[in-house]
Amino acid sequence: MIALFSLLIIIVLSIIVVRIGSIALELTGISSEIASFQAQSAFSGVGFTTVESEAIVTHPVRRRIIRVLILLGSAGVTTAIATLVLAFVGQSGKSVITRGEVLLLGLLCIFLFARSKYIYNVMKIIITKALEKWTTLRIYDYEQLFGLGEGYAIAKIIVKKDNPCCEKSIRDLKPQLEEVLILAIYRRAGRKTQFIGAPNGDVILKVNDELICYAKEDAISKIFSHKAL
């Protein structure tokens, strides 16, 4: 039974490690869903070539987090498999059934532990404080900073050809954009994408420009057809 309980402990520790990595990634500015997915991918050793992955590997802090997750994951998966084999090797039929039942019960408890929102929130608070105290990571809770839970949103808006804002400067659009703050613009220039950060009033909005805007959710929807980030 020692090997079986060791396996369950390894699984719990693996979940905690992934959760720490996920929260650390989230606090660097990416969404919780993407952070969770990338942390699980790194820990399990499964690679995905996506835009999100590129955004992570080009960011020095996120790259450090992923590197640690890959290292711990390679050890954790191997240890878990070896422990699972030891838990059942050389056991009689009745003992195998008993151990199987214990394993299923343990996995159910772990599943409930992993799915608990309360436990997640408590862990996030603890992990955030620990990261701030013992690491040099730049920790920011962007949801709190931008008030994203208070009716505000950051949205990616694509300027369509038939949109009245097209081919007009931000200054000329000031009356329409009074409640919308344009944080940045991604503009296609051939095969490359030009990034315009904190655009001033002289910048003219062009067709297919991707605007990163911050405003109240209803204010954005009144002006553009948008895709929330």
Side-chain angles (χ1 to χ4, degrees):
M1 282 290 186
I2 295 177
L4 187 59
F5 286 118
S6 298
L7 173 63
L8 295 175
I9 291 172
I10 291 171
I11 295 174
V12 171
L13 291 176
S14 298
I15 291 173
I16 293 174
V17 168
V18 172
R19 185 65 55 82
I20 292 173
S22 174
I23 292 173
L25 288 173
E26 184 180 345
L27 294 174
T28 63
I30 60 179
S31 69
S32 58
E33 183 178 351
I34 293 175
S36 177
F37 178 78
Q38 294 297 336
Q40 291 173 10
S41 299
F43 188 83
S44 62
V46 179
F48 292 91
T49 305
T50 62
V51 175
E52 290 85 3
S53 299
E54 293 176 3
I56 286 176
V57 297
T58 56
H59 190 288
V61 175
R62 296 170 187 166
R63 191 165 57 242
R64 285 166 53 194
I65 296 169
I66 291 297
R67 185 185 295 117
V68 173
L69 286 173
I70 292 173
L71 178 63
L72 294 177
S74 60
V77 172
T78 304
T79 305
I81 294 174
T83 307
L84 178 62
V85 172
L86 290 174
F88 288 93
V89 167
Q91 302 299 320
S92 62
K94 186 176 181 180
S95 179
V96 169
I97 294 174
T98 302
R99 288 170 182 251
E101 291 173 346
V102 173
L103 178 60
L104 289 176
L105 180 61
L107 291 176
L108 177 61
C109 293
I110 292 172
F111 175 78
L112 295 175
F113 164 79
R115 297 287 295 177
S116 172
K117 274 288 184 182
Y118 174 77
I119 293 176
Y120 172 81
N121 291 331
V122 172
M123 287 182 65
K124 184 173 182 179
I125 294 172
I126 295 172
I127 292 169
T128 301
K129 290 182 178 179
L131 290 172
E132 289 176 341
K133 184 175 182 179
W134 290 309
T135 71
T136 57
L137 296 177
R138 297 173 61 188
I139 303 299
Y140 300 106
D141 189 339
Y142 288 94
E143 289 190 11
Q144 182 179 6
L145 286 176
F146 285 101
L148 300 185
E150 305 296 330
Y152 285 84
I154 296 176
K156 179 187 293 183
I157 300 167
I158 300 177
V159 179
K160 303 295 184 181
K161 188 175 182 180
D162 57 350
N163 193 288
C165 296
C166 185
E167 299 299 333
K168 292 183 180 179
S169 69
I170 295 176
R171 181 176 289 106
D172 293 337
L173 294 170
K174 190 173 182 180
Q176 295 97 314
L177 301 178
E178 185 176 1
E179 298 180 353
V180 178
L181 176 63
I182 300 178
L183 301 176
I185 299 174
Y186 287 93
R187 176 172 295 167
R188 295 289 296 179
R191 294 184 177 181
K192 296 183 179 180
T193 300
Q194 179 186 4
F195 175 78
I196 305 173
N200 58 38
D202 295 327
V203 175
I204 297 175
L205 303 184
K206 298 184 179 296
V207 179
N208 295 327
D209 276 357
E210 293 185 2
L211 313 181
I212 307 301
C213 298
Y214 172 71
K216 289 186 176 180
E217 293 179 352
D218 55 351
I220 294 176
S221 60
K222 288 178 183 177
I223 302 173
F224 300 95
S225 296
H226 72 283
K227 178 182 178 182
L229 290 177

